[in-house]
Amino acid sequence: MKKLFILGCLLFLLPDSTFVFAQQALQQSTVKKEKRQQQKTEHTFDGASTKGKFVIQPALNFGHHLGLGNINYGSASYGSGLVPGVTLNLDYNVHHYVSIGVYYAAAFRNYKTADVFYLAHVFGARTAFHWWQLLDDKLDADLFSNKLDIDVHAHLGAYLLTLNDRAIAYKYKTNGFNAGGGIA
């Protein structure tokens, strides 16, 4: 009878203690989840590249969107293709490390020895991966990503090109497709 009483007590107390243990484990798990959620919301991306940020980025170029080759038309070649230009990028950050946007660039050069003026307009869509921001977030070092934004980008668009040879009063115009990328 004594054994039966002990067995009955065990059967009555065991499920109750298991329920209490499970309830405590569930509470601890909930507390851990809340702490993780709080840490996620406390971590702010305050770098130059932040999700939801709109960036207007003017830039000076040493080589423009049409490449760095020689400027040629007909049988004549006009110096190097190192044509200075200006670019305006309008980007929206869809992620902490990725942005999409549009660009417009203009490049010009006056070849005085040949009396040729070169002008190019380039425009289109672009996307950028802000790897410097990622590096700063993952390393335990201050890389000044709140002030410095180095990215790898790709662009796709069109160009309008004018070449004006004033020596022979000839004006050449063309347009086309443009694609490329770079590091900025």
Side-chain angles (χ1 to χ4, degrees), residues 80-116:
S80 74
L82 189 59
V83 178
V86 293
T87 300
L88 179 65
N89 299 315
L90 304 173
D91 289 342
Y92 178 76
N93 289 72
V94 294
H95 185 271
H96 298 297
Y97 311 121
V98 177
S99 65
I100 59 172
V102 295
Y103 69 93
Y104 169 77
F108 56 91
R109 186 159 180 186
N110 193 9
Y111 296 95
K112 292 183 182 182
T113 57
D115 203 17
V116 171

Side-chain angles (χ1 to χ4, degrees), residues 142-160:
D142 186 13
L143 300 178
F144 304 106
S145 68
N146 57 339
K147 295 178 176 69
L148 179 65
D149 181 24
I150 301 175
D151 63 58
V152 176
H153 59 269
H155 61 268
L156 187 65
Y159 67 87
L160 305 170

